Amino acid sequence: MADAIVPAFVLRNLADKLYEKRKNAALEIEGIVKQLTIAGEHDKITAIINLLTTEFTYSQQANHRKGGLIGLAAATVGLTSEAAQHLEQIVPPVLNSFLDQDSRVRYYACEALYNIAKVVRGEFIVYFNQIFDALCKLSADCDVNVQSAAHLLDRLVKDIVTESDQFSIEEFIPLLRERMNVLNPYVRQFLVGWITVLDSVPDIDMLGFLPDFLDGLFNMLSDSSHEIRQQADSALSEFLQEIKNSPNVDYGRMAEILVQRAGSPDEFTRLTAITWINEFVKLGGDQLVPYYADILGAILPCISDKEEKIRVVARETNEELRSIRADPGEGFDIGAILSIARRELTSEWEATRIEALHWIATLLARHRAEVISYLNDIFGSLLSALSDPSDEVVLLVLEVLACIAKDAPHFRHLVVFLIHNFRSDHSLLEKRGALIVRRLCVLLDAERVYREFSTILEGEDDLDFASIMVQALNLILLTSSELADLRALLKQSLVNVAGKDLFISLYASWCHSAMATISLCLLAQAYQHASSVIQSLGEEDINVKFLVQLDKLIRLMETPIFAYLRLQLLEPGKYTWLLKALYGLLMLLPQQSAAFQILRNRLKTVPSIAFNTDQLKRASSGNPYSQILPVSEDIIRNQDSGNMHNAINFASRLQQFEHMQNRHRMHAKLQQQSRKATSSTLSQEMQQSDESRRPSLISDITRPPSRSSWNSGQFQH
């Protein structure tokens, strides 16, 4: 039927290799279709279109395919306003030609579709997704001419879409979302161009679908092409401005994307993401509450970013987020935020660790009960952070721990865990012990802290550790300005009930260290007891560790802390037991040591005063209370008569000290025996190994006698 309508020469020229002949044949077809349209003979038009499709566009010959495409375009032009009813036949073969292996065929497909689109305009929209998909691929075509033709067609399609009221953004977004992951730079430019154009159309709500392609736009910010990065950034800036002016924004879905992008290795992507998060925190309100933990997880690492711009925005965002007061009932997940803060405590960057601690402190202040319920999850991480190389971090950790320890049960747990950490990590005690104890004394009351330490250490099974820990606490007590009030209270131990109770409380654990006990007695002005403790020391107690501690004490006695003691040496008649205690210490020191010289020089300055019989009798009466400077005669008389109900039972204390020291001596002996046994075993193994290597020809008669044989006298004459 179509053959009868279209002359044979027209069909022959339509497949000619020369473009001009194909063009003239197409004009003939346009005229024929135009006449048939006027006559209303659409069956014949359909037949012509079918002929062009089957015999030409799907032909194996390239020139046939080219002719078929130009013929379909000509038929559409001939149909004019009635072309829409034939689009279902016309458009599919043209779209199929976009995949042709011949670049010239692809070029003519673009030209044909361009002409078709000019005719049908809005009716063309029903095929938009298919056309968009084809253009997306052609934008990256290997042939420059095809790319140019595709760009020309693309501009026309954009014009048609912007003026059409039939365009469906809902149907288009899934296709756009799928294509956003393409890495080809030409395709990326094509996609950004379409996003920008569609966003400019007032009737198309691209902002509502922004979460669907936002990640793709952020992905383009790290493209190697400066032009693509610039285009993506421009599009994102425009969307951010729209978000600021829009009352209805889906912050939640976009927040998830921004959190991921804030951790991008690309600097520009991180900066853009953190800038968006900053605006979201200011604008999002209740919508963002469930996402606070995720946002915080993105902000904290950026606070330590190498790029200053990112650090500035991240800090501002962090402060903004922390200033917002939200309740768990609103979806505020305290557990999730604590988990993020705990994770960032192990960050390699100090600034991030500091901010993580500020968050824990803030949550403790606002939601104490809820935070305490997660104590088991965060307590270990806080204690581990005490080993942090940064002093600022350690001080913040201590503030958080002190806040937790306001409750009595948690206070005891804190001290127990601290002692456990000191026991398991001696370097922590050595490097951070003084800072930790001093700061806790400021935050939680020094007397309370020391009493708790003493109570726990009194029953410590690891005697070596207990001795080291007590020595550390004693040194802090004697030297720290934060513990001045505690020292003042201990100086009143013999005349003040509170001082006496503190002395007795500390004494129980201080017995783990002889030198700590002597120091405590000197601080409490219990000089006779100090002398008794010194006299009770045995030969095995005077070892290198003891002498090192004694050296420290002698040097400390020259500091302002012991100024009162040195001044008391001006009245040797009144402080005879002090002199005896100091001379006792002097006798324990090696004469060649610097400490010996220091103490001896100090004692040489004591004025020589002739004592009368009453003074000697009073000094040797055994009453320790006569040694204190501010003691009145009435108090002394009451003590002498046994009326003072709070007097310290020094005889019992001495027994307590000797009992503890005996435990340490037994422990030392067991350790020594264990070392000897190990050494003996090793020696025997080595001896057996040597004997096994000796020649077997040596007879037992020629072997030297064993050591046991010599000792038993078997070989004595």
Side-chain angles (χ1 to χ4, degrees):
M1 180 178 176
D3 294 342
I5 301 171
V6 181
F9 78 93
V10 172
L11 296 175
R12 186 169 58 251
N13 288 339
L14 195 62
D16 198 276
K17 63 180 180 180
L18 295 177
Y19 172 74
E20 286 298 324
K21 288 187 176 181
R22 293 197 303 272
K23 181 180 177 182
N24 290 330
L27 291 174
E28 291 289 339
I29 291 174
E30 179 185 337
I32 294 170
V33 171
K34 188 176 293 185
Q35 292 176 358
L36 292 173
T37 302
I38 295 171
E41 298 185 52
H42 285 279
D43 290 341
K44 293 181 179 180
I45 295 173
T46 300
I48 294 174
I49 294 172
N50 286 335
L51 174 67
L52 293 171
T53 301
T54 56
E55 299 297 328
F56 287 85
T57 59
Y58 291 126
S59 171
Q60 296 295 320
Q61 301 297 320
N63 289 330
H64 278 68
R65 297 197 297 274
K66 295 174 188 175
L69 290 168
I70 196 171
L72 288 173
T76 306
V77 174
L79 283 165
T80 59
S81 60
E82 297 185 30
Q85 59 184 299
H86 294 280
L87 283 181
E88 190 174 346
Q89 292 174 276
I90 297 172
V91 173
V94 176
L95 291 175
N96 182 68
S97 298
F98 284 137
L99 303 175
D100 199 284
Q101 293 182 346
D102 191 325
S103 61
R104 296 305 296 169
V105 173
R106 296 197 300 274
Y107 174 85
Y108 285 117
C110 291
E111 183 183 74
L113 194 59
Y114 182 88
N115 290 322
I116 293 169
K118 283 178 66 177
V119 173
V120 297
R121 302 296 291 186
E123 303 295 336
F124 186 67
I125 294 298
V126 293
Y127 296 99
F128 174 77
N129 277 14
Q130 295 166 271
I131 295 169
F132 179 88
D133 190 40
L135 285 173
C136 187
K137 296 171 183 175
L138 290 175
S139 64
D141 198 278
C142 58
D143 188 282
V144 177
N145 292 323
V146 175
Q147 282 191 19
S148 299
H151 291 159
L152 190 65
L153 174 61
D154 180 53
R155 285 199 293 271
L156 176 61
V157 175
K158 285 175 181 173
D159 290 340
I160 294 172
V161 169
T162 54
E163 66 187 28
S164 172
D165 57 357
Q166 299 177 15
F167 176 73
S168 173
I169 185 66
E170 292 83 2
E171 294 179 7
F172 168 65
I173 288 298
L175 177 61
L176 176 63
R177 181 173 60 241
E178 180 185 341
R179 290 287 177 267
M180 289 300 287
N181 295 321
V182 175
L183 300 179
N184 186 284
Y186 298 107
V187 175
R188 284 184 161 184
Q189 283 184 308
F190 171 80
L191 294 172
V192 175
W194 266 101
I195 290 171
T196 304
V197 167
L198 293 176
D199 187 48
S200 67
V201 180
D203 294 335
I204 298 177
D205 180 23
M206 284 295 282
L207 183 61
F209 295 94
L210 181 57
D212 291 285
F213 55 87
L214 179 64
D215 190 59
L217 282 175
F218 266 94
N219 203 28
M220 295 179 189
L221 293 176
S222 58
D223 195 278
S224 57
S225 167
H226 174 72
E227 186 178 357
I228 293 174
R229 293 198 303 271
Q230 195 172 37
Q231 288 178 354
D233 180 51
S234 177
L236 285 169
S237 298
E238 184 64 31
F239 277 118
L240 185 58
Q241 191 60 44
E242 291 178 32
I243 288 171
K244 293 178 182 179
N245 300 327
S246 175
N248 300 313
V249 178
D250 185 359
Y251 290 100
R253 285 179 61 197
M254 289 189 284
E256 295 176 356
I257 297 169
L258 297 175
V259 165
Q260 295 297 323
R261 289 298 171 181
S264 169
D266 179 68
E267 182 181 299
F268 187 45
T269 303
R270 291 199 308 277
L271 176 59
T272 307
I274 204 70
T275 302
W276 273 61
I277 291 174
N278 180 271
E279 294 296 338
F280 274 31
V281 170
K282 295 175 182 177
L283 302 170
D286 296 341
Q287 276 195 54
L288 281 182
V289 171
Y291 300 93
Y292 277 1
D294 294 332
I295 292 173
L296 181 63
I299 292 171
L300 289 180
C302 289
I303 286 174
S304 302
D305 199 278
K306 61 183 179 181
E307 174 59 40
E308 184 180 0
K309 291 180 181 178
I310 296 176
R311 293 198 302 271
V312 170
V313 178
R315 286 190 175 278
E316 179 186 332
T317 309
N318 183 56
E319 294 301 322
E320 189 77 30
L321 189 64
R322 196 159 55 214
S323 66
I324 299 172
R325 293 181 173 271
D327 294 320
E330 301 172 355
F332 185 60
D333 193 341
I334 293 175
I337 292 181
L338 284 174
S339 179
I340 294 294
R342 181 186 62 186
R343 183 190 71 193
E344 295 304 330
L345 283 179
T346 59
S347 167
E348 61 178 312
W349 306 109
E350 178 184 353
T352 295
R353 299 196 300 273
I354 288 173
E355 289 306 319
L357 287 165
H358 280 312
W359 267 98
I360 297 175
T362 300
L363 292 177
L364 262 173
R366 296 178 184 173
H367 309 283
R368 180 178 178 82
E370 290 83 354
V371 174
I372 294 298
S373 68
Y374 292 99
L375 192 57
N376 291 336
D377 296 332
I378 64 172
F379 204 66
S381 299
L382 289 171
L383 289 173
S384 298
L386 291 174
S387 301
D388 197 280
S390 165
D391 284 349
E392 187 175 356
V393 170
V394 174
L395 291 173
L396 279 172
V397 172
L398 291 171
E399 287 186 16
V400 172
L401 289 173
C403 185
I404 293 172
K406 287 180 180 178
D407 302 328
H410 298 133
F411 174 76
R412 180 167 180 80
H413 290 159
L414 170 60
V415 179
V416 168
F417 278 113
L418 274 178
I419 290 176
H420 171 75
N421 279 23
F422 287 144
R423 186 192 304 111
S424 57
D425 184 6
H426 283 197
S427 63
L428 175 63
L429 177 59
E430 180 182 345
K431 297 176 182 178
R432 294 294 190 194
L435 176 64
I436 292 171
V437 174
R438 289 168 58 189
R439 190 59 185 162
L440 284 180
C441 286
V442 172
L443 297 170
L444 291 173
D445 179 60
E447 182 177 352
R448 185 186 180 197
V449 171
Y450 261 72
R451 281 179 178 271
E452 196 64 45
F453 268 117
S454 181
T455 300
I456 297 170
L457 287 172
E458 181 182 359
E460 175 63 43
D461 294 328
D462 188 342
L463 297 181
D464 291 333
F465 165 72
S467 179
I468 294 171
M469 187 71 205
V470 165
Q471 290 167 14
L473 290 172
N474 182 66
L475 187 62
I476 297 167
L477 174 63
L478 294 178
T479 58
S480 300
S481 58
E482 295 90 343
L483 275 70
D485 292 341
L486 203 62
R487 290 194 295 271
L489 183 59
L490 282 169
K491 289 176 186 177
Q492 301 293 318
S493 296
L494 304 183
V495 294
N496 182 291
V497 175
K500 181 209 77 167
D501 290 343
L502 178 59
F503 177 85
I504 293 174
S505 175
L506 297 185
Y507 192 94
S509 61
W510 257 236
C511 290
H512 280 294
S513 168
M515 194 45 58
T517 305
I518 295 169
S519 302
L520 182 65
C521 292
L522 293 179
L523 189 60
Q525 305 186 68
Y527 300 133
Q528 182 177 358
H529 188 64
S531 179
S532 300
V533 169
I534 294 168
Q535 294 292 332
S536 72
L537 296 175
E539 176 184 341
E540 61 269 41
D541 300 324
I542 316 300
N543 52 32
V544 175
K545 292 181 180 179
F546 176 86
L547 292 175
V548 170
Q549 293 297 315
L550 178 54
D551 183 277
K552 290 181 181 179
L553 175 60
I554 298 304
R555 295 176 188 277
L556 279 173
M557 282 170 30
E558 295 298 314
T559 64
I561 291 171
F562 281 104
Y564 70 93
L565 183 147
R566 299 195 299 274
L567 290 173
Q568 289 171 352
L569 292 176
L570 294 173
E571 302 180 75
K574 191 173 183 180
Y575 298 99
T576 307
W577 286 113
L578 171 58
L579 281 170
K580 186 172 182 180
L582 295 180
Y583 271 109
L585 294 178
L586 185 67
M587 294 304 107
L588 298 178
L589 285 165
Q591 293 189 47
Q592 296 82 5
S593 65
F596 179 88
Q597 299 299 328
I598 293 171
L599 183 55
R600 186 176 66 169
N601 290 339
R602 174 60 64 187
L603 290 173
K604 282 181 179 179
T605 63
V606 176
S608 299
I609 300 176
F611 302 118
N612 57 39
T613 306
D614 291 339
Q615 287 175 322
L616 288 172
K617 187 182 298 182
R618 183 177 177 183
S620 60
S621 64
N623 186 349
Y625 304 101
S626 61
Q627 305 163 20
I628 313 169
L629 252 157
V631 180
S632 67
E633 291 298 325
D634 290 338
I635 293 177
I636 292 174
R637 282 194 295 272
N638 289 336
Q639 292 168 358
D640 290 340
S641 61
N643 291 334
M644 185 171 180
H645 64 276
N646 68 326
I648 299 173
N649 187 340
F650 283 109
S652 176
R653 299 283 80 76
L654 185 60
Q655 290 178 359
Q656 188 178 16
F657 172 77
E658 290 176 341
H659 172 72
M660 185 64 76
Q661 288 301 303
N662 283 332
R663 285 183 60 193
H664 279 268
R665 293 182 192 117
M666 290 297 297
H667 176 66
K669 287 179 181 178
L670 289 173
Q671 283 186 321
Q672 189 175 9
Q673 291 172 2
S674 176
R675 284 194 293 268
K676 284 182 178 180
T678 303
S679 177
S680 176
T681 302
L682 289 173
S683 298
Q684 289 176 7
E685 289 176 355
M686 291 175 65
Q687 184 177 358
Q688 290 173 1
S689 177
D690 290 342
E691 290 176 355
S692 67
R693 289 195 294 269
R694 291 176 185 170
S696 58
L697 295 175
I698 299 177
S699 65
D700 293 339
I701 300 174
T702 59
R703 288 181 182 170
S706 65
R707 180 170 298 182
S708 60
S709 300
W710 286 108
N711 293 340
S712 64
Q714 179 179 343
F715 296 98
Q716 293 180 1
H717 297 288

